Amino acid sequence: METPSDRRRAVGVSPPRDQGIPQQRVFFALWPRAETQVALHECAVGLHAQCGGRLLRRETLHVTLAFLGEQAPDRVELLRRIAAGQVGKASDLVLDHCGSWHEHRIVWTGPQRTPEQLVDLAQALNAALRADGFAIDRRPFSAHVTLLRNARRAPPPVSTKPVFWRVDSFVLVASELGREGARYRIIDRWPLADA
Ligand code: ATP
Ligand code: MG
């Protein structure tokens, strides 16, 4: 089955063009600081031993808040303004649970309980994006970090060592295709206020 990566490889590494305007593939996300990246990577290595598949690189691990897809530069400016208008609150995310999707090919970790500040941020951001005409997935926000792709088995039904993540900012990210898969570049970051 053709994957987004295959499609992106088919058009080459340079950004796709729409009427001559270069576009960027962008999404809003939570991006972990270095020590959280290390803890998430350890969790991924443990799951990899049990489930097989491909470990995602430590520096690419994230929680997607809203996926926008290909956008022209003027839309990226609008995205910055929408982000700056958010009044989100910081929260403590505890990733204490793992699971799999798509016949176990995607293995992820997530919280058993998502902090309400984070649900509020995701809902407000997605609503603001829709109000400005962005076509956004209507499925409810599901906080998770994808750790493995093309896994062979579901994770065992035991809880993983919890990963603690102080969520005090969110980011806009450009997804670019490199030789080793998607490469992400943080375009900008917005702080979340302490509750
Ligand atoms: P690749 O698609 O090249 O294999 P990737 O999936 O890591 O790499 P993107 O497709 O750019 O990179 O996706 C960026 C993030 O947005 C990922 O967390 C991905 O799971 C999520 N995402 C991608 N497409 C959608 C979508 N249609 N709806 C919601 N989230 C999406
Ligand atoms: Mg993808």
Side-chain angles (χ1 to χ4, degrees), residues 4 8 25 149:
R8 289 159 72 189
R25 184 181 175 91
R149 296 261 178 108

Side-chain angles (χ1 to χ4, degrees), residues 37-185:
Q37 287 181 334
V38 169
L40 286 167
H41 180 67
E42 274 173 19
C43 177
V45 169
L47 288 168
H48 184 245
Q50 292 165 326
C51 308
R54 177 165 62 86
L55 266 178
L56 298 194
R57 289 182 323 250
R58 186 175 60 198
E59 67 277 13
T60 68
L61 302 174
H62 64 271
V63 171
T64 301
L65 286 175
F67 181 77
L68 285 317
E70 307 291 341
Q71 300 292 334
D74 60 334
R75 299 295 273 174
V76 173
E77 278 315 303
L78 176 56
L79 291 172
R80 284 178 190 270
R81 288 204 294 280
I82 292 170
Q86 297 301 306
V87 285
K89 297 256 184 346
S91 60
D92 290 304
L93 184 59
V94 183
L95 301 146
D96 53 359
H97 182 60
C98 58
S100 62
W101 288 326
H102 304 306
E103 292 160 350
H104 314 313
R105 289 196 305 274
I106 302 277
V107 172
W108 49 265
T109 183
Q112 292 198 53
R113 197 196 136 269
T114 305
E116 64 187 57
Q117 298 94 323
L118 188 49
V119 175
D120 290 349
L121 171 68
Q123 285 179 349
L125 183 59
N126 280 279
L129 292 166
R130 274 190 214 107
D132 266 310
F134 290 95
I136 296 288
D137 197 332
R138 285 196 177 268
R139 281 175 300 183
F141 173 59
S142 156
H144 70 277
V145 180
T146 297
L147 299 175
L148 306 177
R149 296 261 178 108
N150 298 324
R152 291 191 295 272
R153 282 176 293 281
V158 291
S159 37
T160 44
K161 187 175 148 197
V163 173
F164 294 91
W165 179 345
R166 176 70 182 164
V167 176
D168 54 10
S169 66
F170 68 102
V171 295
L172 179 62
V173 188
S175 169
E176 295 160 351
L177 195 59
R179 279 206 182 80
E180 62 299 317
R183 286 174 39 169
Y184 302 129
R185 179 171 54 79

